[in-house]
Amino acid sequence: MSTTATNKQVIFRDYVSGFPKESDFEFTTTTVELKVPEGSNSVLVKNLYLSCDPYMRIRMGKPDPSTAALAQSYPVGQPIIGYGVSRVIESGHPDYKKGDLLWGFVGWEEYSVITPMPNNHFKIHHTDVPLSYYTGLLGMPGMTAYAGFYEVCSPKKGETVYVSAASGAVGQLVGQFAKMMGCYVVGSAGSKEKVDLLKTKFGFDDAFNYKEEQDLNAALKRCFPKGIDIYFENVGGKMLDAVLLNMNLHGRIAVCGMISQYNLQDQEGVHNLSSIIYKRIRIQGFVVSDFYDKYSKFLEFVVPCIKEGKITYVEDVAEGLEKGPEALVGLFHGKNVGKQVVVVARE
Amino acid sequence: MSTTATNKQVIFRDYVSGFPKESDFEFTTTTVELKVPEGSNSVLVKNLYLSCDPYMRIRMGKPDPSTAALAQSYPVGQPIIGYGVSRVIESGHPDYKKGDLLWGFVGWEEYSVITPMPNNHFKIHHTDVPLSYYTGLLGMPGMTAYAGFYEVCSPKKGETVYVSAASGAVGQLVGQFAKMMGCYVVGSAGSKEKVDLLKTKFGFDDAFNYKEEQDLNAALKRCFPKGIDIYFENVGGKMLDAVLLNMNLHGRIAVCGMISQYNLQDQEGVHNLSSIIYKRIRIQGFVVSDFYDKYSKFLEFVVPCIKEGKITYVEDVAEGLEKGPEALVGLFHGKNVGKQVVVVARE
């Protein structure tokens, strides 16, 4: 005899164009059997934390061959999918047993049945840190910052580093990694509160509110009188154009995301690409999944940093799955301060 | 008692905006002493061939900090400067003696006094090939193709390679290098004659006339049904935008030049940069001068290829310094078929 539970879900109503709205999602409640089918290798998990990440906007668009290499569109009428932290309730999979914790792709719902896959699901071993960190600092965004900065940017001590969307899950870490390496680090964000956070909490050398700058080129010239060696790109569009004018010879641009473009019907044009030649710039797009072979090395590095207080981490926590759509939508308006997390259950 | 000679020169009249015109240059004739000053390390050369290269447009613009890293503006009222092949008449420099041949930066004039500098001037040792080749295949453009393809594109056998401005000095060589490596190579150019040349003479697998295509994206999809692994970028603008839509995962774009943009007051916007993330594209700007340490290795590779007929090379030859401005201006309208050379003297 199997037990059942109610399972609240956040359903994707239809493909999104423009900015996502709360009405693009709806709630439904189903029933879930609290066991896995006999002979299956799937795992039933109870979701504890869900992650709001910019790439999810790409999955909300219509199926598109140009983005398919990165992410498939969400199926309409199904729960949306994202990174989460979950507790194993029942398991048919040899790597997981009841009571284990994992992080990786789950549905936006209270319980999910998943088939664990390498690079999609990771067992959690360090539990003496806040579990929600596995949606950010210790999960995909943290690994993104680590691989993007150390593997893609080719940083050297003393170089100048600019991070856009700098108070976000990835940006706040890139800035701190760059400071640890002895770089001069400037970040931009979209409010005074976030700019203050960058300077007082995350140790950026300087920061500015891009919404208050008439001229991004002038803002960058002011912050980088000697030019930019490394740009960690999270936003795209006008910001990239201004950065190109301020890059130094042999500068590197790691393209992690372009959140300013995801909600536009027509992408902004970038005009200063000739700088790529004039300054021998390298622009490298990257996706964290290409670097998960370094995940355990990353944890060895970052967990002690957290415990020793060398790395600070700020979360913006929405309480309850019913707050999920609002939190997710808010991400694209920069409403979150720090990593946006949704708590489904604190156990 | 020293001998003198008349010295016809092509003078840069004023900074250029838009397309250069013949009237941006004027001829003057001065007198040159056919010796070098006592105790000087300079070299008096007789110029034989001059090279017309796209980057020269950048030097015709007003001084601009954004391009200064690549090239300084031409001084107004002075002869323009470019790559040339020259015979040493007198030398105060220990590395050069009377009768030597060299290639490198000289004035657009019959005689120049130069101070040889590493990476700016190279002594010619192989003289059993046409000397004019040192303005192209065996000079800066050849080295550009070699370094750009082998060092920047990270090519692998079987990959698909797209070359724009493919019949030009650099493009025709990139295509042939790529074929030698076992790649599938497609080129574009701006006339039927050039397209025929690509297919019949240089061995490209396919080629198209970009001026006759309504839709560059569709043209690239037709030529690359499986996508583009490597793009050798010579033109920029709309072409780059179309290429970005057709790049494969982990594709590489070597940015050698953006000739379509050099004559524009306002650079075209490129809209499809999000592909950099979706496909983890690497875009790398490069300048040949960063690779001249490999020049002798390049010659060891390429000179036998020429002698064995493995590499073909097409020049468009303008006879006489007085034809220089017309030839140079024509380059920016794609009038040349193959490498544009100006013969100053055949000795």
Side-chain angles (χ1 to χ4, degrees), chain A residues 96-148:
Chain A
Y96 292 90
K97 63 176 199 302
K98 184 173 174 171
D100 281 351
L101 287 159
L102 62 81
W103 71 268
F105 286 119
V106 293
W108 275 42
E109 55 196 350
E110 291 172 284
Y111 296 91
S112 294
V113 176
I114 59 171
T115 304
M117 307 265 277
N119 287 2
N120 280 352
H121 301 96
F122 300 81
K123 195 187 283 195
I124 292 174
H125 299 287
H126 300 272
T127 55
D128 50 352
V129 288
L131 284 182
S132 60
Y133 281 21
Y134 286 95
T135 66
L137 171 54
L138 297 175
M140 181 278 286
M143 189 60 209
T144 300
Y146 178 76

Side-chain angles (χ1 to χ4, degrees), chain A residues 232-288:
Chain A
F232 198 95
E233 166 69 299
N234 287 313
V235 303
K238 291 181 187 68
M239 185 62 86
L240 177 56
D241 237 348
V243 166
L244 284 165
L245 296 177
N246 289 281
M247 290 299 289
N248 284 336
L249 213 60
H250 299 292
R252 286 133 273 150
I253 298 178
V255 186
C256 176
M258 291 191 172
I259 194 171
S260 76
Q261 305 300 295
Y262 297 159
N263 301 298
L264 303 180
Q265 288 292 82
D266 298 304
Q267 306 274 292
E268 282 181 287
V270 172
H271 296 78
N272 298 319
L273 294 172
S274 298
S275 295
I276 296 172
I277 314 166
Y278 304 148
K279 286 126 167 224
R280 293 90 132 163
I281 295 169
R282 168 160 61 82
I283 302 182
Q284 173 75 62
F286 74 99
V287 170
V288 63

Side-chain angles (χ1 to χ4, degrees), chain B residues 17-95:
Chain B
S17 61
F19 280 84
K21 303 176 298 294
E22 285 186 59
S23 60
D24 291 322
F25 309 96
E26 67 186 355
F27 289 94
T28 187
T29 301
T30 60
T31 304
V32 62
E33 264 198 79
L34 293 182
K35 73 192 296 274
V36 292
E38 198 76 38
S40 136
N41 68 344
S42 60
V43 177
L44 172 74
V45 298
K46 182 181 179 189
N47 297 321
L48 308 178
Y49 300 96
L50 294 173
S51 177
C52 297
D53 294 299
Y55 81 88
M56 295 169 78
R57 174 62 186 83
I58 300 165
R59 301 196 65 177
M60 295 177 204
K62 282 207 179 104
D64 175 349
S66 75
T67 61
L70 182 66
Q72 300 291 326
S73 294
Y74 287 133
V76 169
Q78 298 286 316
I80 61 170
I81 293 163
Y83 286 97
V85 175
S86 311
R87 175 78 73 184
V88 174
I89 303 293
E90 285 290 342
S91 174
H93 194 283
D95 295 348

Side-chain angles (χ1 to χ4, degrees), chain A residues 58 66-67 69-70 249-250 255 257-258 267-271 273-274 276-278 280-285 290, chain B residues 58 66-67 69-70 249-250 255 257-258 267 269-271 273-274 276-278 280-285 290:
Chain A
I58 299 164
S66 74
T67 60
L70 182 66
L249 213 60
H250 299 292
V255 186
M258 291 191 172
Q267 306 274 292
E268 282 181 287
V270 172
H271 296 78
L273 294 172
S274 298
I276 296 172
I277 314 166
Y278 304 148
R280 293 90 132 163
I281 295 169
R282 168 160 61 82
I283 302 182
Q284 173 75 62
D290 292 340
Chain B
I58 300 165
S66 75
T67 61
L70 182 66
L249 214 58
H250 298 293
V255 186
M258 290 192 172
Q267 307 273 292
V270 171
H271 295 79
L273 294 173
S274 298
I276 296 172
I277 313 166
Y278 304 149
R280 292 90 133 164
I281 295 170
R282 168 161 59 84
I283 302 181
Q284 174 75 63
D290 292 340

Side-chain angles (χ1 to χ4, degrees), chain A residues 13-323:
Chain A
R13 291 185 62 195
D14 202 356
Y15 301 122
V16 172
S17 61
F19 280 83
K21 303 176 298 297
E22 284 186 59
S23 59
D24 291 321
F25 309 95
E26 65 186 355
F27 289 94
T28 187
T29 302
T30 60
T31 303
V32 61
E33 263 196 82
L34 293 181
K35 74 192 297 270
V36 292
E38 198 76 37
S40 136
N41 68 344
S42 59
V43 177
L44 172 73
V45 297
K46 181 183 180 189
N47 297 321
L48 308 179
Y49 300 95
L50 294 172
S51 177
C52 297
D53 295 297
Y55 82 88
M56 295 169 77
R57 175 61 188 81
I58 299 164
R59 301 195 67 177
M60 296 177 204
K62 281 206 180 103
D64 176 349
S66 74
T67 60
L70 182 66
Q72 301 289 327
S73 294
Y74 287 132
V76 169
Q78 298 288 315
I80 61 170
I81 293 164
Y83 287 97
V85 175
S86 311
R87 175 79 71 183
V88 175
I89 304 293
E90 284 289 342
S91 174
H93 194 283
D95 295 349
Y96 292 90
K97 63 176 199 302
K98 184 173 174 171
D100 281 351
L101 287 159
L102 62 81
W103 71 268
F105 286 119
V106 293
W108 275 42
E109 55 196 350
E110 291 172 284
Y111 296 91
S112 294
V113 176
I114 59 171
T115 304
M117 307 265 277
N119 287 2
N120 280 352
H121 301 96
F122 300 81
K123 195 187 283 195
I124 292 174
H125 299 287
H126 300 272
T127 55
D128 50 352
V129 288
L131 284 182
S132 60
Y133 281 21
Y134 286 95
T135 66
L137 171 54
L138 297 175
M140 181 278 286
M143 189 60 209
T144 300
Y146 178 76
F149 183 66
Y150 291 106
E151 302 288 326
V152 182
C153 292
S154 313
K156 288 191 285 291
K157 187 180 173 180
E159 288 193 316
T160 61
V161 176
Y162 173 52
V163 187
S164 56
S167 71
V170 176
Q172 57 177 274
L173 297 172
V174 172
Q176 293 180 78
F177 292 157
K179 283 308 302 173
M180 286 166 75
M181 178 165 272
C183 296
Y184 180 83
V185 186
V186 178
S188 61
S191 74
K192 182 176 184 308
E193 182 186 7
K194 293 180 187 179
V195 167
D196 288 346
L197 206 57
L198 293 176
K199 291 199 272 195
T200 58
K201 181 114 181 157
F202 299 129
F204 283 59
D205 295 290
D206 203 352
F208 65 91
N209 179 349
Y210 72 91
K211 290 182 180 167
E212 287 189 347
E213 298 291 340
Q214 294 291 315
D215 179 344
L216 292 173
N217 179 20
L220 290 169
K221 285 204 164 29
R222 185 183 71 227
C223 294
F224 292 100
K226 293 181 179 169
I228 301 168
D229 296 313
I230 290 171
Y231 174 43
F232 198 95
E233 166 69 299
N234 287 313
V235 303
K238 291 181 187 68
M239 185 62 86
L240 177 56
D241 237 348
V243 166
L244 284 165
L245 296 177
N246 289 281
M247 290 299 289
N248 284 336
L249 213 60
H250 299 292
R252 286 133 273 150
I253 298 178
V255 186
C256 176
M258 291 191 172
I259 194 171
S260 76
Q261 305 300 295
Y262 297 159
N263 301 298
L264 303 180
Q265 288 292 82
D266 298 304
Q267 306 274 292
E268 282 181 287
V270 172
H271 296 78
N272 298 319
L273 294 172
S274 298
S275 295
I276 296 172
I277 314 166
Y278 304 148
K279 286 126 167 224
R280 293 90 132 163
I281 295 169
R282 168 160 61 82
I283 302 182
Q284 173 75 62
F286 74 99
V287 170
V288 63
S289 52
D290 292 340
F291 296 94
Y292 277 136
D293 59 318
K294 297 187 168 63
Y295 180 61
S296 57
K297 190 175 152 216
F298 164 61
L299 287 183
E300 278 171 36
F301 161 73
V302 82
V303 170
C305 287
I306 299 171
K307 293 185 180 166
E308 293 161 22
K310 285 186 188 162
I311 287 201
T312 302
Y313 180 62
V314 172
E315 292 181 321
D316 193 329
V317 179
E319 288 288 339
L321 184 61
E322 54 280 5
K323 291 287 186 191

Side-chain angles (χ1 to χ4, degrees), chain B residues 300-312:
Chain B
E300 278 171 37
F301 161 73
V302 83
V303 170
C305 288
I306 299 171
K307 292 185 180 166
E308 292 161 24
K310 285 187 190 163
I311 286 201
T312 302

